[in-house]
Amino acid sequence: MSESIKTKLVNLGRDPDSWQGMVNLPLSRCSTILYPSMESYEKRARGEEIGLRYARMGNPLSNAFEKAMAELENGFGAWSFASGLMAITGTIMAFAKAGDHVLICGNAYAPVLDFAENQLGRFGIEVEFFDPHVGADIAGIIRDNTALIHMESPGSATFDVMDVPAIASVAKNKNVLTMIDNTWSTPLLFNPIEHGVDIVIHSGTKYIVGHADVTLGVAICRTEELYTRMKSYVWDSGLSSSPDDLYMALRGLRTMEIRLKQTAENTLKVAQFLETRPEIARVFYPALESHPDHDLWKRDYRGANSILSILLQPHYTRDQVYRCVNTWEHFPVGSSWGGYESLCQPQYLKTARKLPVWEEEGQLLRLQIGLEDADDLIVDLTRGLETLK
Ligand SMILES: *Cc1c(COP(=O)(O)O)cnc(C)c1O
């Protein structure tokens, strides 16, 4: 248990002794599981015998991945899903019911805001968005019927950092469940359960898989009680993930530390360069002292990752902005991040965010910095920015 996370990432979920010495857990596709007898079938259904039942309810790869993630985040157990978004919406649906009030940070991943706004009302669940900088003042908006608080820190697009320990502590005192989207950090940079959070979510699509070829999600529960409550919803709803994708996630864990470290090093270099460019009004990256939440980030996080955002000066026309972005060779336009390759994704926060209200003029662009040579990326970025002259 006291081993370094680097060592754990290499070893968790592997079991060569059970698999004729194979280094990796083999990719086992399955649906039906055969039982040795009628007695065994009934015992497994009652939980009196250990063994697989049906692929959707657990298979060798989901068991290995979920156990590995639970250990990395210091939780009791985990559930895996076909996407990160499904892990978030599945967790909300598992714990909220008609008549409840739920608090969602206003800078969450935009599809989560859409889910909260468009879907939860149909189930009689009232949604309230809160400012990520609320801190311990969250006490003022918690109601008697508040069932859960969803956090995301650093949040999407501008990486606003939340005071997670303060919010978790207030929530605990008021008996409100807390969940957090910890995708930005991976288990390497921040472990929310150590700060009192109940459920930790990762989009495995990003750093865990790391190669832009799988979507996957996971929710890690702090206690057995939470894990069991969640099981009821997950199994009743058929939420699950594919063995092929889980195989890729386990494989991704092996190199995640070195990928995250190298891309973060590249990103800091690129961020510092971008800060010197006159075409750019603001650079958002928590490891820069200019980031509004830099001090809070430094207090709680062990490092930063591979995404930053830039706000271009507001006087550029649409055509100028498009020409600049289209000039970049190493920053094709595409959603997602956390892979080995660089990307650019335009951000439209006036519509895609609730709070804090976005009032800045100018095009906001999120850059994912990959494993390319940072100097090559800087040359490429310069070429695009020069077209703005
Ligand atoms: C991408 C992303 C998700 C959703 O993950 P998918 O696997 O694409 O569904 C959730 N949260 C954050 C912060 C993300 O960036």
Side-chain angles (χ1 to χ4, degrees):
M1 275 307 277
S2 60
E3 274 184 341
S4 151
I5 193 160
K6 290 190 199 180
T7 307
K8 287 184 182 179
L9 285 169
V10 169
N11 291 307
L12 286 174
R14 299 206 286 119
D15 187 12
D17 290 345
S18 302
W19 298 98
Q20 300 181 59
M22 280 188 269
V23 169
N24 298 302
L25 203 61
L27 168 53
S28 39
R29 292 208 180 90
C30 54
S31 59
T32 300
I33 305 296
L34 302 178
Y35 297 69
S37 64
M38 278 287 289
E39 289 85 343
S40 168
Y41 189 90
E42 290 173 359
K43 276 188 187 159
R44 286 188 205 177
R46 289 196 300 264
E48 292 162 10
E49 178 181 291
I50 302 213
L52 302 179
R53 294 178 60 195
Y54 182 63
R56 203 182 57 218
M57 297 148 86
N59 57 74
L61 286 150
S62 68
N63 291 343
F65 178 67
E66 289 164 358
K67 246 181 104 186
M69 290 307 299
E71 176 143 357
L72 290 169
E73 285 289 13
N74 305 308
F76 171 82
W79 295 102
S80 55
F81 303 84
S83 74
L85 183 59
M86 194 191 284
I88 296 169
T89 61
T91 301
I92 294 172
M93 293 308 284
F95 293 103
K97 62 180 189 311
D100 282 347
H101 169 247
V102 303
L103 287 164
I104 311 262
C105 64
N107 61 337
Y109 180 61
V112 173
L113 300 177
D114 292 341
F115 172 78
E117 193 160 65
N118 302 335
Q119 306 302 329
L120 288 178
R122 296 197 295 123
F123 299 93
I125 299 162
E126 189 185 348
V127 174
E128 181 175 345
F129 298 106
F130 66 93
D131 190 305
H133 300 112
V134 68
D137 290 341
I138 194 120
I141 53 171
I142 290 177
R143 304 183 194 163
D144 290 342
N145 63 337
T146 304
L148 68 85
I149 301 172
H150 174 68
M151 298 176 269
E152 181 184 316
S153 180
S156 283
T158 52
F159 319 113
D160 300 62
V161 182
M162 302 179 73
D163 192 340
V164 175
I167 292 173
S169 149
V170 169
K172 186 156 268 167
N173 284 335
K174 294 187 177 268
N175 234 344
V176 176
L177 194 86
T178 47
M179 58 186 277
I180 188 168
D181 183 335
N182 201 36
T183 305
W184 189 94
S185 293
T186 80
L188 285 156
L189 306 180
F190 185 67
N191 302 112
I193 288 177
E194 289 174 5
H195 297 276
V197 176
D198 293 310
I199 296 175
V200 179
I201 289 161
H202 289 281
S203 163
T205 310
K206 311 295 160 56
Y207 298 108
I208 293 174
V209 170
H211 290 71
D213 47 9
V214 166
T215 68
L216 195 81
V218 61
I220 299 117
C221 302
R222 186 173 56 79
T223 65
E224 182 172 7
E225 192 253 49
L226 293 167
Y227 176 80
T228 307
R229 271 171 72 191
M230 200 157 168
K231 172 153 111 184
S232 152
Y233 182 75
V234 170
W235 282 14
D236 289 354
S237 310
L239 301 179
S240 56
S241 51
S242 134
D244 294 72
D245 296 345
L246 291 158
Y247 181 91
M248 296 310 273
L250 280 163
R251 177 178 167 131
L253 288 180
R254 312 303 172 212
T255 56
M256 184 170 71
E257 196 268 343
I258 195 103
R259 286 187 281 107
L260 182 65
K261 185 155 69 183
Q262 185 60 52
T263 51
E265 191 184 306
N266 289 0
T267 309
L268 183 61
K269 200 164 171 183
V270 170
Q272 284 166 342
F273 157 75
L274 292 168
E275 275 202 311
T276 68
R277 292 298 305 200
E279 300 86 352
I280 296 170
R282 295 182 70 181
V283 179
F284 295 91
Y285 187 57
L288 293 178
E289 275 176 31
S290 59
H291 190 281
D293 299 331
H294 175 73
D295 291 340
L296 190 54
W297 168 79
K298 218 168 152 181
R299 188 194 75 181
D300 289 345
Y301 292 77
R302 293 189 285 271
N305 68 10
S306 68
I307 36 173
L308 60 84
S309 291
I310 54 176
L311 181 68
L312 294 177
Q313 297 287 3
H315 61 270
Y316 296 125
T317 63
R318 200 180 104 124
D319 285 352
Q320 283 179 299
V321 169
Y322 286 17
R323 189 174 56 201
C324 166
V325 174
N326 291 337
T327 298
W328 289 333
E329 230 173 84
H330 296 303
F331 294 87
V333 176
S335 298
S336 200
W337 47 282
Y340 60 86
E341 85 293 14
S342 293
L343 290 170
C344 170
Q345 188 188 31
Q347 303 285 327
Y348 306 97
L349 296 191
K350 281 184 182 167
T351 50
R353 159 182 288 181
K354 300 290 178 191
L355 294 166
V357 173
W358 182 255
E359 283 169 333
E360 305 259 4
E361 296 300 327
Q363 178 70 54
L364 188 69
L365 299 168
R366 190 185 70 196
L367 302 181
Q368 138 78 15
I369 310 298
L371 292 168
E372 302 92 342
D373 190 298
D375 291 329
D376 288 342
L377 296 179
I378 287 170
V379 168
D380 191 36
L381 289 167
T382 305
R383 268 191 336 115
L385 292 171
E386 294 284 332
T387 68
L388 293 170
K389 285 231 169 96

